[in-house]
Amino acid sequence: MAPRTILEYPDPKLRLPSEPVTVFDDDLARLVDDLLDTVRAHRALALSAPQIDDRRQVAVIDAGDGEGHRVYINPDILRKHGAFGFVQESCLSLPGVSGNVIRDTRIRVRAQDRDGTPFERELVGMEAVCLQHEKDHFAGRLFIDGFSFLRRWQIDAKFRGRAKAAAARPGVPTA
Ligand code: NI
C-alpha cells in the first residue's frame, strides 16, 4: 500500500483500453488501496487505475460530501438527465494543463464496490464530471482530445519537450 507513480502524457499506455474487473481478490484490494493512497497524496478529486499503469476499470472519486473518495468499479452510466455544463477540467496525467469540456452534470450510475457489491447512485456536478472523465481513461481517451488542433499541438510540444529533457539528463530514470 503506497502512492504509485502516475503515467504522464504522452505515455502511449494512457491510450490502451481497460478491462472490466471480474475477480474481486486481494490483488484488486491492493489496487484500490494504492489508488486511494495516490489520489490523497496528490490532494486530487479523482484518479483511475490506468493512470497508475493497471488496465482494470477502477476509479476513485471524491464527491466533496465529507465521505472521502468513493470507489467505482466497472461503472456504467444508466441515465443522463439532460443537464449539461461547460466545466474546467484537469488531469494528474497532464500536470499544468486545464481546459473546458462539455459534460453531463447529472447522471445515474451503476457500479460495484471493492467487494463486488453492485450499487446505483445519482451523481451531480463535479462528481458526475469526474465519473465521465475517469470512464474516458478506461477507453484511452483524455480530456484534451476535444481541444482545437492548435491547443493540442501546443500541449504536445510542451510534454514531448519535457520527456526529451528528462531522457537527456544522465542518471535520471525516465520510466
Ligand atoms: Ni484524468
Side-chain angles (χ1 to χ4, degrees):
M1 224 167 65
R4 299 251 298 262
T5 304
I6 294 176
L7 299 181
E8 287 187 6
Y9 184 85
D11 195 314
K13 289 179 188 162
L14 288 168
R15 295 303 189 178
L16 298 174
S18 294
E19 301 294 328
V21 172
T22 53
V23 183
F24 292 79
D25 59 359
D26 288 349
D27 190 58
L28 178 74
R30 262 193 303 279
L31 169 61
V32 169
D33 287 337
D34 284 355
L35 272 173
L36 290 169
D37 285 345
T38 309
V39 79
R40 286 179 194 136
H42 288 270
R43 299 176 191 282
L45 279 181
L47 184 67
S48 63
Q51 290 178 274
I52 59 167
D53 202 11
D54 191 305
R55 247 68 56 195
R56 280 176 280 186
Q57 295 184 2
V58 183
V60 294
I61 299 170
D62 185 357
D65 57 4
E67 299 280 314
H69 289 84
R70 210 168 258 110
V71 179
Y72 289 90
I73 298 176
N74 306 331
D76 229 350
I77 297 173
L78 296 179
R79 194 169 163 208
K80 297 177 169 181
H81 295 279
F84 305 95
F86 214 40
V87 187
Q88 179 159 319
E89 294 187 21
S90 57
C91 179
L92 288 174
S93 294
L94 285 132
V97 177
S98 65
N100 291 326
V101 181
I102 294 176
R103 298 282 194 190
D104 286 84
T105 52
R106 185 155 179 226
I107 55 178
R108 184 165 189 85
V109 170
R110 178 163 48 208
Q112 284 163 280
D113 69 13
R114 58 189 298 155
D115 302 314
T117 308
F119 64 94
E120 288 187 19
R121 184 172 160 82
E122 291 285 329
L123 278 66
V124 293
M126 272 319 283
E127 193 185 14
V129 170
C130 285
L131 192 280
Q132 292 160 82
H133 178 117
E134 304 316 319
K135 260 185 81 70
D136 279 352
H137 276 299
F138 299 153
R141 281 195 299 266
L142 298 170
F143 79 108
I144 60 167
D145 292 350
F147 290 3
S148 70
F149 176 79
L150 177 61
R151 184 82 203 284
R152 278 183 289 126
W153 184 83
Q154 288 168 331
I155 292 167
D156 228 51
K158 174 181 160 175
F159 280 90
R160 288 189 195 280
R162 183 187 289 185
K164 216 188 265 176
R169 229 174 289 138
V172 177
T174 54

